[in-house]
Amino acid sequence: MTDKTRILKLKIAAAKSRRNVLRMIKASGHGHVGGALSAIDLVTALYFDKMKIDPSDPGKPDRDRFLLSAGHKCLAQYSVMAQRGYMDQSVLDTYGSFKACIPGHPDMHKLPGVEANTGALGHGMSIAAGMAMSAKLDKEDFCVYAVTGDGELPEGSNWEAAAAAGKFGLDNLTVFVDNNGLQISGKVTDVMSMEDIKDKFRAFGWAVAEIDGNDMEQIVQVLDRLPLQKGKPNMILCHTVKAKGLSIGEGKAGYHFWNAKPEELAAADRELEEQIEKLTKELEA
Amino acid sequence: MTGEFIDPRKEFGKTVTELAKDNEDIVVFSADSGKSSGFGDFIEKYPERYYECGIMEQGVVGLAAGMATAGKIPVFCAIAPFVTCRPYEMVRNDMGYMRQNVKIVGRNCGFTYSDLGATHQSLDDFGLMRLIPGMVVLAPQDPAEIRQGVKAMIDYQGPVYMRIGNPKIPVLFEEKPFEIGKGTVLREGTDLTLITTGSVTGAAIEAAEVMEREGVSVELIGMPTVCPVDEKLVKASAAKTKKVLTVEEHYLDGGLGTIITEVLSGMSDVFVRRHGVPKLYATTGSYEQLLDYYKLDAKGIAGVIREVLA
Ligand SMILES: Cc1ncc(C[n+]2csc(CCOP(=O)(O)OP(=O)(O)O)c2C)c(N)n1
Ligand SMILES: [Mg+2]
């Protein structure tokens, strides 16, 4: 596969993931769309291009692990997992329904393949680091990938995890900070700035990189470079746009949580459908 | 009941903002939670007394306790588990042990974040907070009680936890001063004492009405202070009816029901039953679905009353 084909295929998968997000929003009428859509290119690339996983055997001991520290981004994970074959796509239509296996935050006991019960912010980095520590202890070569929000970073527990991962040299751990610049109350830099994020992680002994997290080419390039440096945990600062791919909501704090109108959903879905058609033509050319 | 429904979060934020006009010691903390807690107006009017800290609930409780040592009255409101479970030790030590005048308000309590799952549902906050020595635990039952309860909470010297819901709640009562530690008999009866608090009280009133039509006389007690609970009132009613049922949007364990059971443990001739949520990570769905499933709507509560009297 040429690099161009690889990227195009992933772009199509990401657009399909976005359509799946809309499908779930349609089912329940609402959802945390902003942070899901900023991270979804990365999540798609991890599941389709990077991770050693077997959707038919989600508990395989040597599988790579993926978890969302920002559990409210679960629409991104469900949409990709459905496309990757962890569940039937029709399960997406149960989003928001009674006793759904895809609730408003991920639950490992409801959906096989989900690795942690996140939703309270600031837990994922420690859990992911613990998973990476067990790989080191057992001399297993699986890797752990976690996504945090940028607004999430002030939780002190993140920095406890950062210290531990640095001390234990977890180069099998990669944390992606979804730096979409927004949280519920507005701009992250106004609410509680954690700049310079890269310097902070470096100070804890991490290797860091910085990419446009909505650019598939840059995502793939950085994933190919992991681990960035032997013996150090990896932090990838992903500059993204909140609600990316949803024209009416892109870059708007108000689309953290979306109460969607049917006509808005239909328009957004049409846009993605056209995008997929265009990309498919490019791929076939 | 007037048939009117009001957003509890707005009512709460509005009342704090009104009180802040004459009480310059009131300061408000936010952990990316201010606007959804009804503080939009406060932010406009008193920006110098509004502290947006971002998502760091543990840090906020410490900051608030520190400000309280210098006479400020910090109010911190966010999603209930994130101001109770998350910073528990800070609440216990910095607010409780240090006896600081901090007011913590857990919003979207109980099942209100029904579809967001167990990380966001709050079914253990009464239990956690009541174990902290000196902590007052309030759960106002209607908009008027929120307004009056907030006033009482600010006037009171010491740590307070208040729990409020999220969907609009019915207007149930006339406005009257809120007395911390006092319950009220909402309706007199002889067959059974039903003790309710917070968000379920509207449904409890309806359930009592349903039972009345079936010829059952329910004595309904509203208990907006969960801790310290109104022991005198509970014992007097229990001595009369001999049957007590508690109802709350909280685990069966640790909350109002546990507290009432403790109060009545010396009265060997009184039957007590607790009604609430089994101590499990509850399922998800719409708020109405969960209230129905866990029998916390009027129909469900009436069914439990029938069981107790059967
Ligand atoms: C401990 C905790 N506090 C508060 C919340 C409520 N909450 C959910 S999402 C969110 C904002 C998150 O912002 P960010 O991390 O930037 O996420 P994104 O922009 O990617 O959606 C908040 C405050 C929570 N889920 N957990
Ligand atoms: Mg963000």
Side-chain angles (χ1 to χ4, degrees), chain A residues 30 32 96-100 103-105 110 117-123 151-152 154-157 183-186 191-192 257, chain B residues 30-36 50 52-58 82 86 115-117 119-120 281-286 289-290 293:
Chain A
H30 55 241
H32 285 105
S97 70
F98 187 53
K99 291 192 173 178
H105 290 98
K110 291 188 175 156
N117 291 9
T118 54
L121 297 167
H123 289 241
E152 178 183 3
E155 288 286 8
S157 48
Q183 58 189 105
I184 294 174
S185 303
V191 173
M192 182 54 67
F257 188 86
Chain B
S30 164
D32 198 11
S33 58
K35 280 194 192 133
S36 338
Y50 181 78
E52 174 57 79
C53 297
I55 310 171
M56 49 155 87
E57 297 84 0
Q58 301 172 72
F82 307 141
R86 183 52 171 264
D115 58 348
L116 296 186
T119 56
H120 281 60
Y281 294 99
T283 192
T284 58
S286 73
Q289 279 168 331
L290 295 200
Y293 184 69

Side-chain angles (χ1 to χ4, degrees), chain B residues 35-287:
Chain B
K35 280 194 192 133
S36 338
S37 304
F39 285 126
D41 239 23
F42 190 100
I43 300 169
E44 293 281 307
K45 286 195 173 127
Y46 311 108
E48 72 292 350
R49 285 194 269 157
Y50 181 78
Y51 298 91
E52 174 57 79
C53 297
I55 310 171
M56 49 155 87
E57 297 84 0
Q58 301 172 72
V60 166
V61 175
L63 294 169
M67 283 193 92
T69 62
K72 301 295 171 231
I73 308 175
V75 179
F76 175 32
C77 175
I79 300 172
F82 307 141
V83 297
T84 54
C85 302
R86 183 52 171 264
Y88 190 66
E89 192 179 69
M90 287 72 183
V91 175
R92 171 185 177 270
N93 294 1
D94 312 350
M95 271 175 72
Y97 190 22
M98 283 173 60
R99 265 179 255 152
Q100 291 306 314
N101 197 20
V102 177
K103 317 301 174 184
I104 297 258
V105 179
R107 62 167 161 85
N108 299 82
C109 70
F111 278 131
T112 40
Y113 271 140
S114 59
D115 58 348
L116 296 186
T119 56
H120 281 60
Q121 297 165 353
S122 187
L123 300 166
D124 51 10
D125 49 340
F126 287 157
L128 289 169
M129 290 297 129
R130 65 142 329 205
L131 279 180
I132 295 173
M135 180 71 70
V136 167
V137 181
L138 305 178
Q141 307 167 100
D142 95 323
E145 226 168 63
I146 290 177
R147 288 191 292 274
Q148 294 296 329
V150 169
K151 278 187 196 142
M153 170 174 85
I154 297 291
D155 285 344
Y156 175 83
Q157 263 291 326
V160 178
Y161 172 66
M162 178 184 280
R163 169 198 237 239
I164 58 175
N166 171 36
K168 290 185 174 182
I169 51 172
V171 173
L172 303 173
F173 312 131
E174 302 274 302
E175 196 103 15
K176 67 169 187 349
F178 188 107
E179 276 186 82
I180 291 176
K182 286 275 179 287
T184 32
V185 176
L186 301 177
R187 126 186 237 131
E188 289 191 18
T190 49
D191 295 331
L192 168 121
T193 302
L194 177 62
I195 307 179
T196 171
T197 187
S199 45
V200 288
T201 295
I205 291 173
E206 268 184 64
E209 283 163 3
V210 169
M211 295 315 293
E212 174 86 46
R213 288 196 288 274
E214 291 179 21
V216 174
S217 162
V218 174
E219 174 137 305
L220 184 63
I221 295 181
M223 204 59 91
T225 305
V226 170
C227 182
V229 85
D230 191 341
E231 294 195 17
K232 228 171 102 186
L233 183 67
V234 171
K235 283 180 174 160
S237 181
K240 180 169 80 176
T241 63
K242 306 285 183 204
K243 282 199 180 73
V244 176
L245 172 65
T246 62
V247 59
E248 64 201 301
E249 199 175 322
H250 188 277
Y251 282 144
L252 283 169
D253 303 38
L256 179 72
T258 298
I259 293 169
I260 298 295
T261 309
E262 289 164 4
V263 168
L264 296 176
S265 63
M267 295 172 73
S268 56
D269 58 339
V270 174
F271 172 88
V272 191
R273 164 126 177 224
R274 294 168 291 134
H275 179 45
V277 185
K279 197 176 67 185
L280 297 166
Y281 294 99
T283 192
T284 58
S286 73
Y287 190 43

Side-chain angles (χ1 to χ4, degrees), chain A residues 34-35 38 72-73 148-152 178-184 186 188 240 242 256, chain B residues 55:
Chain A
S38 56
H72 66 282
K73 294 175 185 290
T148 75
D150 48 358
E152 178 183 3
D178 185 6
N179 198 35
N180 60 28
L182 295 171
Q183 58 189 105
I184 294 174
V188 174
T240 59
K242 200 151 178 167
H256 176 78
Chain B
I55 310 171

